Amino acid sequence: MRDYLLPGEGYRVIFVIGKGGVGKTTTSASIAVALAERGYKTLIVSLDPAHNLGDVFMTKLGDKPKKLADNLYASELDMEKLIKSYLKHLEENLKHTYRYLTVINLEKYFEVLSYSPGIEEYATLEAIRDILMDGDKWDVIVFDTPPTGLTLRVLALPRISMIWADKLIEIRRKILEKRAAIANIQGPQRFRIGEEEVELPTEEDKDEVMKELRKYRSEVQFVEEVITNPKKTSVVAVMNPEALPLYETVRAREALKKFKVPFRLIVVNKVLSVSGEIPELKVKLDAQRRVLEQIESEFRGVDVIRIPMFPEEPRGLEWLRRIGGMIVEG
């Protein structure tokens, strides 16, 4: 049994990453089925906008976890809905925090933000955070992720966001210090919201902006601590025995190492195995053999498992049990 796929300090989080079309969703679903059948209450969540999880389980899935079998729950998150929810949350926070800027039409700016580069990553991070905040409801959470590039940017965001939050907190602190200096000379500054007169805060614990910055930093720090904790999180990379998925997995491993996210297992899907000489397949088999040798050489110390090419597309619980057993048992 592969211990790094099992609950450690509380719940276990498994991110299944890889290039599009290599079998991430099937691998994610197989791991989830295998762990659920071993008695662990397991949630599998598809974060990929091109959802295939419901197809693999041969059932319709939505935003809310749906029970598929004993201990097994699954959901597919709607990216468009995630972005709208994220921007709505952001808009409400800003309206509350900057109540005195009533002349600014925030709605107009948030309409533009919905098309802004990076918005998918932030919305996805917020969805992951919400799921992890309720992590104690589960023994295992499996994330079926978007193609590698987007996933790596999402996993890097907590560290980057903490750096930004620290800088903004520092700037805000200087603003409050200057505001306090002015208040000492001219008296407290006030502004009106309708009939209400409000004093501009000069102390950090009374400043809504500082409170919001600290809250945001605390939230992203929580995600960062979970995804970098090897007793809580494991990344499983999925690839086919081909050169391009190999190169992408090498780059992914380096990026994850940089952000201290534990990289534990490589699942190589669609490995051909034939007996006897088949001239038509010789070039394909030779190329596959070279890639498999490169994988073993490049990823020393990383667990590697080979899944054979099956005569039919694996779908449904029976197929997923079979594949999941190969992955989880070791």
Side-chain angles (χ1 to χ4, degrees):
M1 190 80 102
R2 291 185 160 87
D3 292 342
Y4 53 78
L5 298 178
L6 307 180
E9 291 181 353
Y11 56 89
R12 167 68 64 180
V13 181
I14 301 169
F15 288 96
V16 181
I17 71 169
K19 190 176 174 65
V22 296
K24 281 195 312 293
T25 301
T26 302
T27 301
S28 305
S30 299
I31 291 171
V33 168
L35 292 172
E37 295 212 327
R38 284 154 182 77
Y40 299 108
K41 189 177 181 184
T42 303
L43 170 67
I44 177 168
V45 182
S46 173
L47 301 172
D48 192 344
H51 293 303
N52 293 311
L53 190 61
D55 298 331
V56 169
F57 280 116
M58 302 175 72
T59 188
K60 187 172 177 58
L61 298 174
D63 288 344
K64 303 297 180 187
K66 178 180 180 179
K67 186 172 183 178
L68 303 182
D70 288 344
N71 296 314
L72 180 62
Y73 299 77
S75 65
E76 291 181 338
L77 300 187
D78 184 324
M79 181 56 66
E80 190 173 334
K81 192 182 290 186
L82 281 181
I83 291 171
K84 285 181 180 177
S85 173
Y86 172 70
L87 290 175
K88 184 70 176 172
H89 172 69
L90 203 57
E91 182 182 338
E92 288 170 357
N93 278 353
L94 283 175
K95 281 182 175 177
H96 172 70
T97 304
Y98 292 98
R99 289 178 298 160
Y100 54 92
L101 296 179
T102 53
V103 294
I104 294 179
N105 179 5
L106 288 173
E107 287 84 357
K108 180 178 66 177
Y109 292 99
F110 281 98
E111 284 174 16
V112 176
L113 266 182
S114 63
Y115 303 102
S116 176
I119 199 70
E120 280 191 16
E121 288 89 331
Y122 276 102
T124 303
L125 177 62
E126 180 135 317
I128 291 172
R129 187 209 66 196
D130 289 345
I131 292 166
L132 295 183
M133 292 288 278
D134 284 334
D136 290 335
K137 291 165 59 176
W138 313 99
D139 296 320
V140 181
I141 302 167
V142 181
F143 288 108
D144 174 32
T145 67
T148 314
L150 176 59
T151 301
L152 292 178
R153 291 195 296 275
V154 171
L155 293 176
L157 262 187
R159 176 74 59 86
I160 295 166
S161 297
M162 284 170 63
I163 294 170
W164 269 105
D166 286 339
K167 291 293 182 186
L168 291 172
I169 286 169
E170 183 183 332
I171 292 168
R172 189 65 185 176
R173 185 170 288 130
K174 288 178 180 177
I175 289 171
L176 292 175
E177 288 170 358
K178 292 184 185 303
R179 190 183 283 174
I182 293 169
N184 284 336
I185 299 168
Q186 299 181 354
Q189 295 175 288
R190 292 182 171 84
F191 63 95
R192 283 192 172 277
I193 303 177
E195 298 299 317
E196 182 187 4
E197 187 174 76
V198 180
E199 184 178 316
L200 277 175
T202 59
E203 298 174 24
E204 291 185 19
D205 59 351
K206 294 179 181 177
D207 181 53
E208 292 296 333
V209 176
M210 183 64 87
K211 287 180 186 177
E212 189 62 33
L213 286 170
R214 285 176 171 168
K215 178 174 176 286
Y216 177 72
R217 191 196 187 284
S218 174
E219 289 172 351
V220 293
Q221 182 177 8
F222 162 73
V223 178
E224 165 82 358
E225 288 173 352
V226 171
I227 67 175
T228 58
N229 184 347
K231 294 182 178 178
K232 269 197 175 297
T233 294
S234 296
V235 170
V236 176
V238 183
M239 59 178 292
N240 295 150
E242 300 166 359
L244 293 182
L246 169 62
Y247 302 149
E248 186 160 311
T249 306
V250 170
R251 289 192 293 271
R253 189 261 312 267
E254 294 308 310
L256 293 168
K257 188 186 295 183
K258 180 179 178 181
F259 292 103
K260 295 185 169 64
V261 180
F263 181 85
R264 312 302 282 272
L265 172 67
I266 295 174
V267 175
V268 187
N269 273 330
K270 300 180 181 177
V271 176
L272 290 170
S273 179
V274 296
S275 56
E277 286 290 325
I278 303 178
E280 292 83 358
L281 285 178
K282 188 175 187 310
V283 173
K284 178 77 172 173
L285 289 168
D286 286 346
Q288 177 183 273
R289 188 191 69 254
R290 287 193 296 272
V291 171
L292 291 171
E293 288 172 356
Q294 282 182 273
I295 292 170
E296 296 295 340
S297 172
E298 183 70 42
F299 294 99
R300 294 186 190 281
V302 177
D303 208 356
V304 178
I305 182 168
R306 303 179 184 186
I307 304 295
M309 170 79 82
F310 295 112
E312 61 182 271
E313 188 177 355
R315 296 174 64 209
L317 288 176
E318 285 305 317
W319 266 112
L320 298 175
R321 283 190 193 100
R322 180 177 168 186
I323 298 170
M326 296 178 192
I327 297 170
V328 170
E329 288 299 332

